[in-house]
């Protein structure tokens, strides 16, 4: 996935937000709408993403006379008989165009007539097509569609019509592209001049990298459901959406806004999980929430969209999120600490052992410590008994001596 991002850098200088959004769209299997003036490399980047991703592309320049079958394949007139033998003539479709593509680049999508756009948006939303006959309930291999358009409005001179809000909401990711001159990115502008003047060689892309990127994309599609957002980040995401809604209430504008449940409750977690996967993680972190900036370009007023990063930063600072399970190194440290605590607890609960004895109370000469202790207690009792016997003997001898003296004194008195 990093190789895809590097390949886009080699193709176009600048447009970093658009490149990030394109990689996210391919990983999350979502659609991207990018709007900007002509000549800022919108279409070139979209075609480069299709080429470097190694996917089967469908690239089409839409116009006011675009017909539906230019987008979905050839129209056929089928002649057949029903079960009763009656002859039927009907119209069918030989799948082609976007029906057989893995990635679609739809240039100037807003110029297409409503008849074609209605079917096209249904295809993008459902990724299936029911045209009867051969193409009945056809499941599409489409991974992502990248649509481009020019700015529209009374102050714009591109004669472009805007997509209605419901159609814009079909694109989970939205980017407003500006040129290097408009952004005053003069260092990158100097690189473009040097590149086109032969002063800087064109960057080379490794050969056969398309197959590796395609394999990485399909592997990412399998891993994406297992990426965890975590309870803390889910609460933080709700807080971000609430902050955006509160800011919208304070906006004195009639411009339509699209804080829809489909986008910010269903698609936003998916985009943040894709952001984590692009950076090689299987658990989201707080920084992954900044991917929501790629979802608000045409869902919020332009002034509020420019403040999205600041709003996300404020919410994260107020609500430190839990990023899911700790990294492996931290898990190992926690496990070692738990083992040390268990050992200390076992040592505290174990009976005291005399010096020179092992953990079972056995001395180095192989004698059990408890048996030795019992023998010592018996010796002490025996020595105590001996002492009492000696004391009794001494007391009885002293009594005899006193009696003999008293008897001698009595005899002496009687003689006198």
């Amino acid at each position: 996935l990093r190789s895809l991002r590097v390949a886009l850098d080699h193709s176009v200088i600048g447009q970093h937000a658009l490149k990030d959004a394109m990689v996210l769209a391919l990983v999350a299997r979502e659609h991207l709408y990018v709007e900007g003036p002509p000549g800022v490399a919108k279409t070139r980047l979209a075609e480069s993403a299709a080429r470097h991703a190694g996917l089967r592309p469908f690239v089409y320049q839409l116009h006011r006379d675009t017909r539906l079958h230019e987008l979905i394949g050839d129209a056929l007139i089928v002649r057949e008989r029903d079960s009763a033998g009656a002859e039927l003539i009907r119209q069918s479709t030989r799948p082609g165009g976007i029906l057989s593509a893995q990635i679609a680049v739809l240039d100037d999508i807003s110029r297409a007539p409503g008849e074609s756009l209605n079917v096209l948006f249904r295809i993008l939303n459902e990724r299936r097509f029911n045209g009867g006959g051969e193409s009945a309930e056809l499941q599409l291999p489409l991974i992502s569609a990248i649509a481009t358009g020019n700015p529209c409005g009374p102050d714009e001179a591109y004669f472009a019509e805007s997509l209605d809000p419901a159609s814009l909401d079909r694109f989970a990711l939205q980017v407003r592209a500006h040129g290097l001159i408009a952004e005053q990115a003069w260092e990158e502008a100097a690189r473009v001049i040097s590149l086109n003047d032969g002063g800087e060689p064109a960057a080379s892309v490794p050969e056969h990298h398309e197959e590796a990127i395609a394999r990485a994309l399909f592997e990412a599609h399998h891993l994406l459901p297992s990426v965890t957002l975590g309870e803390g980040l889910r609460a933080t995401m709700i807080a971000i959406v609430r902050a955006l809604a509160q800011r919208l209430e304070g906006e004195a504008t009639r411009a339509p806004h699209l804080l829809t449940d489909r986008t910010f409750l269903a698609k936003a977690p998916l985009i943040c999980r894709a952001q984590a996967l692009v950076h090689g993680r299987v658990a989201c972190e707080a920084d992954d929430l900044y991917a929501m900036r790629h979802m608000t370009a045409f869902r919020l007023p332009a002034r509020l969209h420019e403040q999205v990063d600041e709003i996300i930063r404020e919410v994260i600072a107020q609500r430190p999120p839990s990023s899911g399970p700790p990294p492996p190194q931290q898990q190992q440290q926690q496990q070692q600490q738990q083992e040390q605590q268990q050992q200390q607890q076992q040592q505290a609960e174990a009976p005291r052992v005399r010096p020179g004895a092992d953990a079972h109370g056995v001395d180095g000469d192989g004698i059990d410590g408890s048996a030795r202790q019992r023998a010592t207690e018996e010796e002490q009792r025996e020595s105590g008994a001996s002492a009492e016997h000696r004391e009794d003997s001494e007391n009885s001898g002293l009594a005899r001596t006193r009696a003999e003296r008293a008897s001698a004194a009595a005899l002496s008195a009687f003689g006198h």
Side-chain angles (χ1 to χ4, degrees):
L1 299 178
R2 296 190 190 96
S3 299
L4 176 58
R5 183 63 169 80
V6 171
L8 295 179
D9 286 334
H10 291 172
S11 300
V12 172
I13 297 174
Q15 298 295 357
H16 303 291
L18 179 54
K19 295 171 184 176
D20 293 337
M22 285 184 176
V23 176
L24 283 177
L26 290 172
V27 173
R29 296 176 59 91
E30 289 296 334
H31 306 309
L32 166 65
Y33 175 72
V34 50
E35 183 177 293
V40 296
K42 305 185 303 295
T43 305
R44 179 182 176 87
L45 260 179
E47 294 177 350
S48 296
R51 182 175 69 256
H52 292 300
L55 303 175
R56 187 167 56 253
F58 171 68
V59 182
Y60 195 79
Q61 174 81 39
L62 286 90
H63 50 84
R64 300 187 184 280
D65 296 325
T66 298
R67 296 293 177 260
L68 177 60
H69 286 285
E70 298 176 25
L71 303 174
I72 63 175
D74 299 330
L76 302 177
I77 302 298
V78 179
R79 184 168 148 181
E80 58 188 11
R81 293 186 178 276
D82 61 8
S83 57
E87 185 178 50
L88 297 176
I89 298 177
R90 62 177 178 83
Q91 182 176 344
S92 182
T93 301
R94 178 183 292 129
I98 196 172
L99 300 185
S100 60
Q102 294 174 306
I103 181 172
V105 179
L106 306 172
D107 201 16
D108 288 334
I109 189 172
S110 62
R111 296 185 184 275
E115 176 188 0
S116 301
L117 282 180
N118 291 336
V119 179
L120 177 60
F121 285 132
R122 188 170 71 247
I123 291 173
L124 295 181
N125 187 47
E126 301 176 358
R127 286 184 171 85
R128 60 187 177 90
F129 177 74
N130 189 348
E134 183 182 353
S135 59
E137 285 298 326
L138 181 65
Q139 298 295 324
L140 307 185
L142 184 65
I143 294 176
S144 180
I146 302 174
T148 69
N150 292 326
C152 55
D155 298 331
E156 305 293 349
Y158 304 108
F159 304 102
E161 297 181 1
S162 62
L163 293 175
D164 62 272
S167 299
L168 273 174
D169 199 46
R170 305 289 183 182
F171 298 91
L173 296 161
Q174 302 175 352
V175 175
R176 193 187 302 270
H178 303 282
L180 299 178
I181 297 176
E183 293 182 344
Q184 298 186 3
W186 302 120
E187 292 184 3
E188 293 180 333
R191 286 187 58 198
V192 174
I193 292 178
S194 178
L195 182 63
N196 287 277
D197 192 40
E200 180 177 340
S204 59
V205 179
E207 297 181 359
H208 308 296
H209 75 293
E210 293 89 353
E211 295 84 354
I213 293 176
R215 288 194 301 269
L217 280 175
F218 289 118
E219 183 180 356
H221 297 160
H222 290 292
L223 290 175
L224 189 58
S226 63
V227 178
T228 58
L229 192 62
E231 183 177 355
L233 289 183
R234 287 195 295 268
T236 306
M237 182 175 291
I238 287 293
I240 292 172
V241 177
R242 184 187 298 117
L244 293 176
Q246 292 173 351
R247 296 291 183 93
L248 272 175
E249 293 177 357
E251 287 285 325
T253 177
R254 292 186 176 182
H257 57 271
L258 292 170
L259 289 181
T260 62
D261 294 352
R262 171 174 55 189
T263 299
F264 288 95
L265 302 184
K267 302 293 186 181
L270 179 65
I271 298 301
C272 293
R273 286 156 51 200
Q275 175 80 354
L277 203 57
V278 168
H279 290 85
R281 297 190 299 269
V282 295
C284 290
E285 297 180 355
D287 289 343
D288 297 324
L289 296 177
Y290 286 95
M292 296 175 67
R293 70 164 73 94
H294 301 303
M295 308 178 69
T296 61
F298 302 102
R299 291 185 170 93
L300 300 176
R303 190 181 68 85
L304 185 55
H305 167 67
E306 295 175 355
Q307 302 174 4
V308 167
D309 280 358
E310 180 182 353
I311 294 173
I312 295 175
R313 188 180 302 109
E314 291 177 355
V315 172
I316 291 176
Q318 295 172 0
R319 300 176 58 92
S322 174
S323 59
Q329 184 177 2
Q330 186 175 353
Q331 290 180 356
Q332 186 177 3
Q333 293 177 355
Q334 293 177 355
Q335 185 177 1
Q336 292 177 353
Q337 292 177 357
Q338 291 176 358
E339 292 177 354
Q340 292 177 357
Q341 292 175 358
Q342 291 177 357
Q343 291 177 359
Q344 294 175 357
Q345 184 177 1
Q346 291 175 358
Q347 292 176 359
E349 295 176 354
R352 294 182 177 274
V353 180
R354 293 177 299 101
D358 61 8
H360 300 286
V362 177
D363 291 335
D365 55 2
I367 301 178
D368 183 84
S370 59
R372 183 182 295 277
Q373 184 175 0
R374 288 194 298 270
T376 303
E377 292 175 353
E378 292 177 358
E379 292 177 357
Q380 292 176 351
R381 285 197 298 269
E382 292 177 356
S383 61
S386 300
E388 291 177 357
H389 179 70
R390 287 194 301 271
E391 183 177 359
D392 293 341
S393 299
E394 292 176 356
N395 292 336
S396 61
L398 180 61
R400 286 195 300 270
T401 302
R402 289 177 178 174
E404 291 176 351
R405 289 178 179 176
S407 178
L411 290 174
S412 176
F414 180 76
H416 288 295

